[in-house]
Amino acid sequence: MPDRRTPPFAIIARVLLVPYIVGVALIVWLPASIAGRVTGIAFRIALYVSEHYGIAYATSATIFEFVANIALFIPLGLLLVAAWPRSNAWVVLLIGYSASATIELVQTMLPSRYPTLSDVVANTIGTAIGCLAVRLFVQRHPRRALTPQPVAAP
């Protein structure tokens, strides 16, 4: 009879989803002046690149903001697939897209925030990368990955 227990890795991923979601909510919904302490890292890097490599600040800031949005959602894809190993990749992508679209819709009501379609695209790409990373890991290490290991009888 197959073992139907939830793998420990899935339980850990489900627990880690909670602080991740809280952290993302704080980053994207706090006033820009407060959230800028965290998100300002991308803009400081963009400023450094523009000063040292002759790239216009507007260009480097746009690129680094896009990359930061991708990086922000990679853990979502990782954690969702790790938490529910049998989940459909399209469902995970839909969850990432829906979360991102919700974030941008809420930001329309925040005076210090500027919702953009490029954020939705970047966040969805990040979710896809996270999902793909776990799926590739499972393909390479199917026995160790996300399934519970049988316990030998004493």
Side-chain angles (χ1 to χ4, degrees):
M1 180 149 102
D3 188 3
R4 298 225 178 241
R5 290 181 296 144
T6 303
F9 195 79
I11 294 169
I12 292 168
R14 291 173 189 179
V15 169
L16 289 175
L17 267 169
V18 174
Y20 169 76
I21 291 169
V22 169
V24 169
L26 289 173
I27 289 171
V28 300
W29 288 328
L30 283 175
S33 61
I34 296 170
R37 295 177 189 151
V38 174
T39 59
I41 295 168
F43 294 110
R44 285 193 290 276
I45 294 170
L47 182 61
Y48 176 84
V49 168
S50 69
E51 289 174 351
H52 289 84
Y53 297 100
I55 299 171
Y57 176 74
T59 301
S60 62
T62 301
I63 291 169
F64 281 103
E65 181 187 8
F66 192 80
V67 170
N69 275 300
I70 290 173
L72 182 66
F73 269 65
I74 288 174
L76 181 64
L78 287 168
L79 291 171
L80 286 173
V81 174
W84 291 277
R86 292 190 174 109
S87 60
N88 183 317
W90 291 110
V91 171
V92 172
L93 289 176
L94 182 61
I95 291 169
Y97 166 78
S98 299
S100 181
T102 300
I103 288 167
E104 297 304 311
L105 286 173
V106 171
Q107 285 184 351
T108 62
M109 296 178 268
L110 301 174
S112 65
R113 295 306 199 136
Y114 304 99
T116 63
L117 183 58
S118 66
D119 287 354
V120 175
V121 171
N123 295 342
T124 306
I125 290 170
T127 304
I129 291 170
C131 178
L132 181 63
V134 173
R135 297 286 186 195
L136 290 174
F137 176 79
V138 169
Q139 281 182 351
R140 290 182 183 237
H141 309 286
R143 190 107 166 92
R144 289 188 334 190
L146 304 175
T147 58
Q149 301 301 315
V151 178

